[in-house]
Amino acid sequence: HLPVVPGGLGADTAVAEARRVLVTGGVFYVMVKEGSGVEMIDTGEGLGGRFFQLFTRDLLHDLITRHSFEMVHLEEGIESRPSGEVPWLFGLAIAI
């Protein structure tokens, strides 16, 4: 749910902290909603609309690699939910 914003805040802070605590060669797995921009989405879980940062393949790749990770696998997936289909991006990276 963390936004990608200038100044090393939001998602950048989370990925930087993950890299800080992983040893070189450590594995980082990330799963994010696929799309573009930010949206308020009601996922049908009774929580109402929530803020989501959506990611393109390029945005996720750039976020991960600028924090000293090497992206080794990136794939798309679709999850069927009562509220509709949810597009996901799954990334696997190695700390370098």
Side-chain angles (χ1 to χ4, degrees), residues 68-82:
S68 299
F69 284 101
E70 177 186 352
M71 186 70 79
V72 295
H73 186 77
L74 184 57
E75 70 178 72
E76 300 165 354
I78 300 289
E79 177 185 9
S80 293
R81 291 187 175 179

Side-chain angles (χ1 to χ4, degrees), residues 1 33 41-48 50 52 79 81-83:
H1 298 272
K33 287 187 183 290
I41 300 173
D42 185 343
T43 59
E45 300 167 278
L47 301 171
R50 294 179 289 152
F52 284 90
E79 177 185 9
R81 291 187 175 179
S83 60

